[in-house]
Amino acid sequence: MSDPGVGRTRQSAIYRDGVFGKRPTVPTDAGALEARAQAAMSSTAWAYVAGGAGEGATMRANRAAFDRWQVAPRVLHGTTTRDLTTTLLGTTLRAPLLLAPVGAGCLVAPDSDVQIARGAATAGVPYVFSNQGCNPLEETAAAMGDVPWWFQLYWSTDEALVDSLIGRAEAAGAAALVITLDTTMLGWRPQDLNLGSLPFARGLGIAQYTSDPRFRELVASRVAVAAAKVKEKVRPTVGAVRSLIEMSRSHPGDFRANLTSPEPRAAVETFLEIYSNPALSWANLETLRERTRLPVVLKGILHPDDARRAFELGVDAIVVSNHGGRQVDRAIASLDALVSIREAIGRQPVVLFDSGLRTGTDLFVALALGADACLLGRPHIYGLALDGADGVASVVENVMAELDLTMGLTGVGSIPDLVPGLLTRT
Ligand code: FNR
């Protein structure tokens, strides 16, 4: 008998368990997944993960863009097996899917990056480690086993820190370097603002920094300068004490020693000052080729002219993304940008996509519209919230199962066969 494929195999396993009264721990549809994750998360975690810029118009636009495309299935095609594999930047992948970089995941679960890495490795998909992760990249890399991983960088105002982070990613075995361009400042995010909650200000999501030798140098000099100044007496509030405890817990080293040390606070202040560079320009990016031997991927491109310029500069790939609607409200939908960018630059350059992708059929649509691979964002964090590393793997397996079934039901045998002609636009 021919291979039934990942879709039928997963379906059968779930239905077989159902006979014994067992239901999936992680819901198989995006709506229930999100609702169950919300119930499992604190209000600050939910605000940070699910929230977006302004009134949420970009997030709605991302979904509405998917709703404008419909699949036009063909029948009697006799396609019985599907090949989901693809080659991306020289590496063969199980499917054209990667996990998007997500910062401050420890709001949702402890050791979030390591857990996500374990889930990604189980499912056999690459994970793009966030520069604002909760575990040093070396620890997360160890959890990936043989599955490739990429490192995402926010370009700091401190150029020596940029080099240090790139060097660590190379040394630990990253397969590509992703530079995120759309977050030179944080967008206006009312859900977090209304709670007065920024994870980094409490020391969460700065593990790549506190584990970095160059960053530690910067912290040490800040501590030295502060020690020389006359101290102003401030009465601590309950909130401030709670934040100090959280900072001391996340900071490397002994918790008790951290409580009385100026270092954790100085680390947070240093991070907030230098983590991104509002002056970032094409001139900075021109220096990249001499600074790394890794393939370079630019994330956060929405305009065809920026896409053209990126490839003129010689980058290896771009990610069409509006950061899941977290940066500019009323931005264009990422899927619409994918279509116009492909029209402008042709089929050849390597283009990845994210923002708004929730299901296997969404993945089918984005691939048919010209994405070479896609990044799965919030859904994998919802899986983490519900069932740790296993939850992450389940979410990925569900998306792949639906992609496989949709391909089988429409007569598509392999990823290169996913073409715009399979879709109609309403
Ligand atoms: C992100 N994203 C992100 N991107 C990045 O380059 N570095 C980062 O540290 C983060 N952090 C982050 C945190 C959280 C909580 C979210 C939800 C997103 C953006 C992410 O990589 C991706 O572009 C979006 O998640 C895609 O949108 P959807 O599909 O999740 O809506």
Side-chain angles (χ1 to χ4, degrees):
M1 210 187 93
S2 66
D3 177 5
V6 294
R8 286 174 73 192
T9 304
R10 185 146 185 89
Q11 258 177 339
S12 307
I14 293 173
Y15 290 139
R16 215 176 300 122
D17 281 350
V19 173
F20 298 99
K22 196 172 158 221
R23 300 243 174 100
T25 313
V26 171
T28 57
D29 69 292
L33 173 66
E34 188 177 307
R36 286 268 305 283
Q38 180 177 10
M41 283 156 74
S42 68
S43 53
T44 46
W46 175 251
Y48 185 68
V49 175
E55 303 297 310
T58 307
M59 292 194 290
R60 289 193 297 280
N62 284 340
R63 290 304 302 151
F66 274 102
D67 288 340
R68 283 194 291 275
W69 289 99
Q70 294 169 336
V71 179
R74 302 295 304 270
V75 293
L76 303 176
H77 39 69
T79 306
T80 54
T81 58
R82 275 84 53 200
D83 179 2
L84 302 191
T85 60
T86 196
T87 302
L88 192 64
L89 305 180
T91 312
T92 301
L93 307 183
R94 183 185 167 201
L97 186 67
L98 301 89
L99 297 188
V102 166
C106 45
L107 280 169
V108 174
D111 279 330
S112 47
D113 299 45
V114 169
Q115 292 211 57
I116 295 167
R118 282 196 193 121
T122 304
V125 297
Y127 174 28
V128 184
F129 301 176
S130 167
N131 201 166
Q132 297 182 349
C134 295
N135 296 95
L137 61 96
E138 293 80 3
E139 265 177 35
T140 313
M144 288 299 292
D146 294 336
V147 177
W149 57 275
W150 297 1
F151 179 69
Q152 175 265 319
L153 177 83
Y154 282 124
W155 201 296
S156 166
T157 47
D158 186 83
E159 293 290 338
L161 179 61
V162 170
D163 286 326
S164 181
L165 288 164
I166 294 175
R168 286 172 60 197
E170 286 181 352
L177 179 69
V178 180
I179 316 284
T180 297
L181 305 178
D182 56 16
T183 313
T184 51
M185 297 177 283
L186 279 187
W188 183 252
R189 298 182 183 168
Q191 286 91 338
D192 294 328
L193 291 164
N194 290 342
L195 294 173
S197 164
L198 180 69
F200 316 109
R202 307 203 311 272
L204 304 177
I206 65 170
Q208 310 295 12
Y209 296 82
T210 53
S211 56
D212 189 277
R214 169 60 189 163
F215 183 80
R216 293 178 82 111
E217 262 173 35
L218 294 170
V219 173
S221 54
R222 177 182 283 266
V223 170
V225 171
K229 283 195 189 144
V230 184
K231 291 222 179 70
E232 197 190 320
K233 283 239 180 277
V234 186
R235 264 186 110 84
T237 60
V238 175
V241 171
R242 210 177 283 143
S243 295
L244 179 69
I245 292 172
E246 239 173 338
M247 276 178 209
S248 304
R249 204 171 276 138
S250 328
H251 199 74
D254 179 62
F255 170 64
R256 277 167 178 279
N258 284 343
L259 273 178
T260 51
S261 156
E263 247 193 48
R265 231 191 110 115
V268 165
E269 282 163 5
T270 308
F271 167 84
L272 292 174
E273 207 172 277
I274 64 153
Y275 78 93
S276 74
N277 183 354
L280 190 68
S281 74
W282 291 102
N284 297 81
L285 297 182
E286 278 164 17
T287 66
L288 262 180
R289 273 287 163 228
E290 296 131 44
R291 297 169 90 163
T292 183
R293 54 180 169 75
L294 294 176
V296 170
V297 181
L298 300 186
K299 175 172 182 278
I301 287 183
L302 293 170
H303 198 288
D305 292 350
D306 287 342
R308 266 195 216 102
R309 183 131 187 212
F311 288 110
E312 278 163 19
L313 194 73
V315 304
D316 298 277
I318 61 169
V319 184
V320 175
S321 166
N322 57 29
H323 213 103
R326 298 163 72 76
Q327 286 299 95
V328 175
D329 202 16
R330 297 217 178 283
I332 55 170
S334 194
L335 195 70
D336 291 340
L338 171 67
V339 173
S340 50
I341 285 174
R342 265 299 178 220
E343 270 168 23
I345 65 172
R347 191 63 193 82
Q348 214 48 43
V350 179
V351 175
L352 286 78
F353 165 86
D354 79 23
S355 297
L357 188 150
R358 295 291 173 269
T359 70
T361 304
D362 292 346
L363 180 55
F364 180 101
V365 168
L367 296 170
L369 290 176
D372 290 301
C374 295
L375 274 57
L376 185 66
R378 292 181 175 96
H380 83 262
I381 300 297
Y382 298 151
L384 174 74
L386 291 177
D387 198 16
D390 290 345
V392 172
S394 294
V395 167
V396 173
E397 292 294 351
N398 290 344
V399 168
M400 291 220 269
E402 194 187 6
L403 170 68
D404 180 54
L405 290 171
T406 308
M407 285 171 66
L409 290 166
T410 51
V412 179
S414 71
I415 298 301
D417 295 336
L418 284 164
V419 290
L422 293 158
L423 309 177
T424 60
R425 193 184 152 103
T426 52

